[in-house]
Amino acid sequence: MRFLTITLLIIALSLTTSCTKQQKEIEIYSFSGENDAVMINNGVIIATEDLEKFIGGDLTFKGEEPSNVKYYVTKFYYYKDGVETAILSNSESIEGTTKGTKISPDLGSSNSEDLFYANDLVQINKSLNFSVSGFYMNGEKFEYSVVLDVEKAY
């Protein structure tokens, strides 16, 4: 379902840009990655001359998924000149209950005029990262991170 939504978004964006008098350049990148604990799939970056759209994709845990979570943060970021730059960050916190939550597999989206390297997205390959961290209801901490592979799709 998520893949269908992304595909339809790409088609709609392509049709919109091709129907205007002045065609604007569009670049589409996909990203994914995994380590022994987590996988990120179906991530997409769409860039035009005046807008960059970042779609975080889907989070899957290998093995046992953290449950009974009191607080967590998911974050996409990259490094530019050695400085960490956040692209998209989400958090959830459970207060005043003895039952925790699970981490959402849907990682959300963000858009801006300039999320990346002044429209030079090739530079984010091997620099785009994802992390999820937080605390269980019992106070125990968890943290997982992965470097993502970025490929130009269009």
Side-chain angles (χ1 to χ4, degrees):
M1 183 68 178
R2 181 100 170 132
F3 180 74
L4 179 61
T5 303
I6 292 171
T7 303
L8 290 174
L9 177 66
I10 292 169
I11 290 169
L13 189 56
S14 296
L15 288 174
T16 302
T17 58
S18 67
C19 292
T20 61
K21 286 187 178 182
Q22 268 188 325
Q23 280 198 348
K24 294 183 178 182
E25 186 176 323
I26 183 171
E27 294 181 65
I28 300 172
Y29 294 81
S30 64
F31 61 87
S32 61
E34 66 181 281
N35 61 21
D36 12 337
V38 296
M39 281 191 306
I40 301 294
N41 290 306
N42 301 322
V44 176
I45 301 167
I46 303 169
T48 64
E49 292 173 8
D50 55 358
L51 184 68
E52 294 174 343
K53 176 83 174 173
F54 183 89
I55 303 168
D58 305 310
L59 170 64
T60 304
F61 285 90
K62 296 178 174 182
E64 190 173 335
E65 178 179 345
S67 61
N68 207 25
V69 173
K70 180 175 184 151
Y71 170 79
Y72 72 89
V73 174
T74 60
K75 179 171 72 169
F76 287 95
Y77 58 97
Y78 65 95
Y79 291 97
K80 181 176 181 180
D81 301 327
V83 177
E84 181 181 301
T85 303
I87 301 166
L88 175 64
S89 181
N90 294 304
S91 65
E92 185 173 341
S93 179
I94 304 297
E95 297 295 330
T97 181
T98 57
K99 188 174 183 181
T101 187
K102 287 188 171 188
I103 298 171
S104 174
D106 180 7
L107 297 171
S109 65
S110 176
N111 59 309
S112 175
E113 289 182 13
D114 192 21
L115 287 174
F116 300 103
Y117 290 94
N119 295 333
D120 191 3
L121 291 170
V122 173
Q123 294 185 41
I124 66 166
N125 195 19
K126 300 298 182 190
S127 177
L128 183 61
N129 291 265
F130 169 79
S131 69
V132 57
S133 59
F135 293 93
Y136 295 106
M137 292 299 288
N138 66 6
E140 183 181 336
K141 184 178 181 176
F142 64 88
E143 184 170 4
Y144 307 101
S145 61
V146 62
V147 177
L148 302 167
D149 293 315
V150 181
E151 294 182 13
K152 188 170 185 176
Y154 176 78

